[in-house]
Amino acid sequence: MNEFAPLSGLIGGAMLGAAASALVLLSGRVAGISGIVAGTFRARGIELGWRAAFVLGLVLGPLVVAFVGGAPVVVRVPASATGLVLAGLLVGFGARLGGGCTSGHGVCGISRLSPRSLMATAVFIVAGMAVVFVVRHVLGLPTWP
Amino acid sequence: MAVILAAFALGLLFGAGLAVSHMMDPVYVLGFLDIAGAWNPTLVAVMAGAVAAAAPGFLLARGRRHPLLGGTFQVPTRRDIDARLLAGALLFGIGWGTAGLCPGPALAGLSTGMWQFLVFVPAMLVGMAIHDGAGRALDRRAPSAGSAAP
């Protein structure tokens, strides 16, 4: 199952965009997942509370979708253990160094037309495309070794 | 308390959105990044839906003095493009293209119980901690530098 799914893409995208809208209006915060998570390292009290509550909701959200839909959410991860460790380190470090990830820069930043976020999003999409191109079309591998 | 309950409800909505949109499925993400292969543009629809729904919130927030539940707005104000931003986005993109996972979908994926998420998420947290730890050490040496805005 790797079909173009414009309708579920639009609906699901609108759901997470609506969550970002509501978070900034209600609490004044940006729904950038890397920032919310990294903030838990040092936060105390209500600051730690809202971050932990958001992450807990994030983890449980797909279970609600599976329950309502009557079928588990389809998730396939075509990567080796080594690839996952490397990717995880890069994603975590890079998101902090660049001040955001797909949600903070890609959704929230673009929504408020931030030049930093537009640039960051362009860079990480092109970098991701380059990696996939090398792995699949230069090395001819189905996935990262 | 209202702030915490709101955050939980909005986290649920965000996680559900990741599941519905296929953003949580690395096969879709890698399919979007594979422009020379069987390109899957679903993520373009996800981005369009997300930006269309998020933009009104940020626009409305601009006209308000305080968030509805009190406190202050903590929205980034920097507009300059510096080396940190570019280097960070580059490393992030390399990692994203390697496994097809970014922070939101990786955390949401924990709900599946699949081992891949139990490997990726701790590695991601270590990557964040390495950056934040090194950043604090550098800031102690040069107090004027300041850390990256979220």
Side-chain angles (χ1 to χ4, degrees):
Chain A
M1 197 180 94
N2 185 26
E3 304 289 312
F4 178 40
L7 196 61
S8 42
L10 269 175
I11 294 169
M15 287 165 72
L16 57 94
S21 251
L23 188 68
V24 75
L25 280 174
L26 291 172
S27 309
R29 301 309 183 103
V30 173
I33 308 303
S34 54
I36 291 176
V37 171
T40 60
F41 296 164
R42 273 180 288 173
R44 295 282 182 276
I46 204 159
E47 189 63 27
L48 176 62
W50 81 263
R51 290 169 189 272
F54 188 93
V55 173
L56 182 65
L58 182 64
V59 175
L60 297 178
L63 296 179
V64 176
V65 172
F67 181 76
V68 172
V73 178
V74 177
V75 177
R76 287 105 5 121
V77 189
S80 65
T82 330
L84 287 165
V85 171
L86 187 73
L89 288 169
L90 285 168
V91 164
F93 187 90
R96 295 302 292 154
L97 183 64
C101 57
T102 340
S103 48
H105 278 315
V107 175
C108 297
I110 289 185
S111 297
R112 48 188 190 84
L113 297 175
S114 153
R116 279 171 63 80
S117 295
L118 287 164
M119 177 57 88
T121 306
V123 169
F124 65 63
I125 287 178
V126 170
M129 285 176 169
V131 171
V132 172
F133 182 79
V134 170
V135 170
R136 291 191 178 175
H137 304 292
V138 177
L139 302 175
L141 300 169
T143 172
W144 190 273
Chain B
M1 201 59 208
V3 171
I4 292 176
L5 284 175
F8 177 71
L10 298 177
L12 267 179
L13 181 60
F14 199 102
L18 288 173
V20 169
S21 67
H22 299 287
M23 186 81 198
M24 216 175 112
D25 185 356
V27 167
Y28 269 81
V29 174
L30 295 170
F32 163 73
L33 295 175
D34 189 9
I35 38 167
W39 189 56
N40 185 338
T42 301
L43 256 65
V44 179
V46 180
M47 284 289 289
V51 169
F58 286 98
L59 264 175
L60 288 170
R62 205 175 283 182
R64 297 189 54 88
R65 196 178 285 256
H66 295 288
L68 293 167
L69 297 178
T72 51
F73 285 106
Q74 299 196 18
V75 177
T77 50
R78 282 179 63 179
R79 300 179 70 82
D80 62 305
I81 289 158
D82 62 339
R84 270 192 187 197
L85 179 86
L86 296 174
L90 180 67
L91 294 176
F92 177 86
I94 293 172
W96 192 39
T98 301
L101 285 170
C102 52
L107 289 165
L110 288 172
S111 63
T112 66
M114 289 165 65
W115 68 267
Q116 287 94 337
F117 294 97
L118 302 175
V119 172
F120 184 93
V121 169
M124 177 180 87
L125 295 176
V126 168
M128 288 178 171
I130 290 174
H131 172 272
D132 290 11
R136 269 206 298 281
L138 283 174
D139 287 347
R140 264 201 298 275
R141 226 179 288 172
S144 60
S147 54

